[in-house]
Amino acid sequence: GAVVSQHPSWVICKSGTSVKIECRSLDFQATTMFWYRQFPKQSLMLMATSNEGSKATYEQGVEKDKFLINHASLTLSTLTVTSAHPEDSSFYICSALTSGGQGEQFFGPGTRLTVL
Amino acid sequence: LAKTTQPISMDSYEGQEVNITCSHNNIATNDYITWYQQFPSQGPRFIIQGYKTKVTNEVASLFIPADRKSSTLSLPRVSLSDTAVYYCLVYNQAGTALIFGKGTTLSVSS
């Protein structure tokens, strides 16, 4: 199947700083990518839909000014957690949607964010 | 989006067949059923997808009755490495995001 990578795989930062997480589709182009957040022992929660060349669509309750999403190319979407706080500590996972056909989604390996 | 219901947890032993059933009573005509597997601190991994009847691949089988209101993921001869969370999802082909329910935590013991 198609490969999606995330960078970094884990990050520790101080409260108040901003952290950028990259999501790349390595062998296919993805006009649409999705960002999820997963807290321990919980399921994945959809945060936003990232579309190449346009503004992201955020789910209800997700602050767009805090979680900045940029989908500047067909293979890269970034999620920036601005002014991170300990409650933002979580596992962030992206997925990329293949175009055409059945439109399969492939998930990245996730990024563990710990805010001190 | 059709809501899915599946058991919170299941236990099994190595070598046994495991069947995880998922209910999706409000599934729409255009919806497909897909199953993902997730290990701790990893992204979900696609297992199998189907629309009706039976689908089989190298790792699992998916059984879907005629009314499509439920589906059963069958894992033949599980091993310890199959211990994971299994998610049943329903989606259409329009490229919308997958919405995850609580999933089933499968624990395989020796």
Side-chain angles (χ1 to χ4, degrees):
Chain A
V3 179
V4 176
S5 70
Q6 284 184 237
H7 177 80
S9 56
W10 60 270
V11 56
I12 301 173
C13 69
K14 293 182 179 181
S15 184
T17 61
S18 295
V19 175
K20 180 184 286 187
I21 302 171
E22 294 183 347
C23 176
R24 294 182 184 273
S25 56
L26 297 185
D27 50 2
F28 66 99
Q29 294 183 332
T31 56
T32 302
M33 293 183 176
F34 304 100
W35 287 96
Y36 295 82
R37 180 167 56 179
Q38 186 174 32
F39 293 108
K41 303 292 185 182
Q42 295 187 24
S43 184
L44 286 77
M45 183 187 76
L46 178 66
M47 299 177 67
T49 300
S50 171
N51 294 299
E52 187 267 338
S54 64
K55 291 184 178 181
T57 303
Y58 292 82
E59 295 300 302
Q60 189 174 9
V62 178
E63 301 175 55
K64 62 179 181 181
D65 293 331
K66 180 170 185 60
F67 298 100
L68 301 179
I69 292 173
N70 187 346
H71 196 153
S73 77
L74 289 173
T75 59
L76 173 65
S77 175
T78 60
L79 168 68
T80 301
V81 183
T82 62
S83 187
H85 288 94
E87 57 265 30
D88 298 322
S89 297
S90 187
F91 193 53
Y92 292 86
I93 305 169
C94 72
S95 71
L97 183 67
T98 61
S99 58
Q102 295 190 352
E104 296 174 79
Q105 285 191 38
F106 295 91
F107 287 82
T111 296
R112 173 76 58 192
L113 170 63
T114 302
V115 185
L116 301 176
Chain B
L1 291 172
K3 181 179 178 179
T4 60
T5 303
Q6 50 185 123
I8 295 296
S9 63
M10 294 183 69
D11 296 315
S12 182
Y13 291 97
E14 284 188 292
Q16 290 189 332
E17 178 184 78
V18 172
N19 296 308
I20 306 174
T21 297
C22 176
S23 297
H24 27 78
N25 292 318
N26 297 322
I27 190 168
T29 302
N30 294 333
D31 287 340
Y32 281 70
I33 300 155
T34 187
W35 286 78
Y36 279 76
Q37 175 193 57
Q38 186 183 29
F39 297 110
S41 296
Q42 294 186 27
R45 183 176 74 99
F46 172 83
I47 301 175
I48 198 166
Q49 171 182 293
Y51 183 81
K52 63 180 179 180
T53 62
K54 176 183 175 182
V55 179
T56 298
N57 62 23
E58 62 274 11
V59 298
S61 294
L62 178 60
F63 299 93
I64 306 169
D67 65 5
R68 303 199 329 120
K69 292 183 182 299
S70 67
S71 59
T72 299
L73 174 71
S74 181
L75 304 173
R77 299 183 59 80
V78 294
S79 64
L80 295 176
S81 62
D82 292 317
T83 294
V85 179
Y86 292 82
Y87 293 98
C88 164
L89 303 102
V90 172
Y91 79 106
N92 61 43
Q93 296 279 56
T96 56
L98 293 175
I99 304 301
F100 287 78
K102 296 184 183 300
T104 297
T105 299
L106 172 64
S107 298
V108 180
S109 304
S110 57

